[in-house]
Amino acid sequence: MAEPGMSRRELLQRGTFLAGLSMFSFPGMARAFQTQPGDKVLPWLDQPGEIPLPDVVQNLLDWEKLDSWVTPNEQFFNVAHFERPVVRAEDWALELSGLVNRPQTFSLDELKARPRKETVFTLECSGNNGFDWFKGGIGNATWAGTPLAAILEEAGVQDDGIEVVFYGRDKGDIVVRDIPMTQHFARSMSLEDAMNPDNLLVYEMNGEPLPQPNGFPVRLIAPGWYGIANVKWLDRIEILPTRYMGHFMAREYVTIRETERDGETVWMETSVGRARLKSAPARVTRSKDGPYRIMGAAWGAPIERVEVQIDGGAWQPAQLEHNDDNAVTWTFWQLGWNDPAAGEHDITSRAVDAEGNVQPAQDDPFIANKHTYWESNGQITRRVRVA
Ligand SMILES: Nc1nc2c(c(=O)[nH]1)N[C@H]1C(S)=C(S)[C@@H](COP(=O)(O)O)O[C@H]1N2
Ligand SMILES: [Mo]
């Protein structure tokens, strides 16, 4: 939403200015919450429960310990639906086939010899906040690789090629209509979405070779998309003349919403795709000399502002930090909390994007009438006790 008195052009200029400034004055790793020595974290009363699928979801972000805008690799969550294949770079190649004039195979060295591009992107699992144990399926990293678009262009996608399928090395057993199958993990995008210049074939994460749980040696990074689209252990790209309806496109990672249309209930099923506007309280601290502070993050769209509500009271504007004015990296925020009464308190945050969209409340029909757990971007409430 535009500030009063600011033209579109001024806003754009401000955006460019802020982007330049932040690159200049905060080299990624140095960015952090401004915590003072002696700050004490008040533990959340609603701690996430045990992960019921410890083979699938690992290393979730501990919000209370979050202190770096870029998530160190060893603190980055990971999700694997089938297995975590250990791939040796020497035994790996990326195959590009299907409706292309020049099918290609790339070794890791060949990919690394191509133009290198870095991007900072906050990756969130679309299942995050879909369960009480799942609150930390998010992290922010600097990813380095080579643009996908040039590779597709050089291969020459044929006129009837409309869909790009990305396959992982990992595979597993699934049963559909009583048919048992062993399939590789796969996700697809329309050719137009795949050609987005921001998409990278990534071989580095925060300056290190891509860690094995995060897809070594190469993964797709599609900034602005939920985690599921960012295929790890990538070893095959195939161009199809039709939409792809694989397991993780058309059966799992399908959001089911009950909607209303002219008084009729219409059930909508959509494949999980682009990230959604969201925020979360990260932690509450108490400093040595008294004052309390609430800190958190907001992501999924260009963040215009974040507001915080305590015990259902008035929404108070938080102060934004590290707001890169883009849709693909998280913004940190904080709010001073003066003289909270002793006892338990509810803390809720909501983000507002540059177009004025507000992160939905939990009782908003958009969330309340969603029957699957993916894309749970409703407002998050956490609970603390003040002594
Ligand atoms: N090959 C492959 N890629 C995958 C997955 C997978 O199971 N196999 N999981 C996806 C999901 S659901 C998420 S949330 C992200 C998580 O990325 P990370 O493990 O690097 O955090 O990877 C995606 N890419
Ligand atoms: Mo995910």
Side-chain angles (χ1 to χ4, degrees):
M1 196 159 55
E3 281 169 31
M6 263 192 137
S7 70
R8 168 103 193 121
R9 205 172 129 249
E10 282 168 330
L11 274 173
L12 285 174
Q13 280 171 346
R14 186 187 64 160
T16 314
F17 170 73
L18 284 177
L21 182 75
S22 59
M23 270 172 67
F24 179 73
S25 51
F26 307 107
M29 295 307 247
R31 302 209 219 176
F33 278 126
Q34 292 157 11
T35 38
Q36 263 78 58
D39 280 2
K40 270 220 172 84
V41 175
L42 279 64
W44 295 119
L45 300 176
D46 52 358
Q47 290 294 332
E50 278 286 273
I51 302 177
L53 309 158
D55 294 335
V56 178
V57 177
Q58 295 180 355
N59 207 31
L60 292 176
L61 180 75
D62 186 346
W63 282 103
E64 287 168 8
K65 296 206 179 98
L66 176 67
D67 65 357
S68 170
W69 188 75
V70 170
T71 314
N73 288 354
E74 58 284 0
Q75 290 171 27
F76 208 97
F77 82 101
N78 76 80
V79 175
H81 288 283
F82 290 148
E83 53 177 341
R84 287 176 183 71
V86 177
V87 182
R88 298 190 338 159
E90 313 85 86
D91 302 336
W92 178 89
L94 174 65
E95 181 193 304
L96 171 54
S97 61
L99 296 176
V100 287
N101 293 329
R102 290 168 291 281
Q104 314 262 321
T105 305
F106 299 92
S107 69
L108 186 56
D109 286 341
E110 284 167 335
L111 276 190
K112 285 183 174 171
R114 297 181 60 87
R116 178 191 160 91
K117 194 175 159 189
E118 280 190 9
T119 192
V120 187
F121 165 48
T122 302
L123 186 141
E124 185 192 23
C125 176
S126 55
N128 196 30
N129 301 105
F131 304 98
D132 69 339
W133 55 267
F134 202 177
K135 299 188 208 288
I138 186 167
N140 185 44
T142 301
W143 311 92
T146 194
L148 168 66
I151 286 179
L152 294 177
E153 250 160 38
E154 287 168 31
V157 175
Q158 295 170 5
D159 285 348
D160 48 348
I162 60 162
E163 186 91 341
V164 183
V165 191
F166 302 90
Y167 296 88
R169 171 75 66 93
D170 51 330
K171 54 184 188 223
D173 297 330
I174 57 170
V175 178
V176 180
R177 298 193 145 236
D178 296 333
I179 306 162
M181 297 178 261
T182 303
Q183 289 194 4
H184 284 265
F185 179 92
R187 277 279 305 194
S188 71
M189 278 185 182
S190 69
L191 178 63
E192 190 188 353
D193 285 337
M195 288 295 291
N196 187 306
D198 297 337
N199 294 337
L200 299 181
L201 302 180
V202 158
Y203 44 76
E204 264 178 43
M205 179 177 179
N206 294 330
E208 288 166 30
L210 196 57
Q212 187 260 337
N214 307 99
F216 182 87
V218 170
R219 78 180 301 173
L220 174 67
I221 282 291
W225 290 68
Y226 271 120
I228 188 71
N230 297 262
V231 177
K232 304 190 284 186
W233 309 292
L234 177 71
D235 65 2
R236 193 156 80 89
I237 300 175
E238 188 181 20
I239 316 293
L240 298 186
T242 175
R243 301 307 308 271
Y244 173 73
M245 291 289 134
H247 190 65
F248 296 99
M249 291 299 294
R251 279 183 294 275
E252 293 292 293
Y253 288 85
V254 172
T255 294
I256 303 179
R257 291 182 208 268
E258 213 177 324
T259 63
E260 268 247 336
R261 195 182 150 79
D262 301 332
E264 186 195 349
T265 298
V266 174
W267 290 80
M268 273 299 285
E269 295 180 84
T270 53
S271 190
V272 171
R274 286 192 175 76
R276 290 188 184 278
L277 175 65
K278 190 163 169 184
S279 69
R283 65 158 174 266
V284 177
T285 56
R286 188 194 178 173
S287 73
K288 258 202 326 252
D289 39 354
Y292 290 75
R293 269 189 315 155
I294 304 166
M295 290 167 253
W299 63 93
I303 302 301
E304 184 67 26
R305 61 177 196 277
V306 175
E307 296 166 336
V308 180
Q309 186 187 51
I310 301 167
D311 299 328
W315 289 99
Q316 306 176 54
Q319 192 183 315
L320 303 189
E321 291 169 23
H322 320 312
N323 188 357
D324 277 357
D325 240 19
N326 70 33
V328 304
T329 55
W330 59 13
T331 294
F332 282 180
W333 53 262
Q334 59 165 300
L335 178 73
W337 186 16
N338 298 324
D339 302 321
E344 292 188 11
H345 297 279
D346 283 337
I347 312 244
T348 307
S349 68
R350 71 176 183 195
V352 180
D353 75 10
E355 288 172 0
N357 301 305
V358 181
Q359 181 186 355
Q362 293 294 345
D363 61 1
D364 186 307
F366 188 71
I367 298 297
N369 296 340
K370 179 169 72 65
H371 291 261
T372 42
Y373 57 83
W374 298 288
E375 304 187 74
S376 289
N377 72 319
Q379 294 166 19
I380 293 167
T381 300
R382 304 292 309 259
R383 203 162 170 78
V384 279
R385 183 181 298 116
V386 170

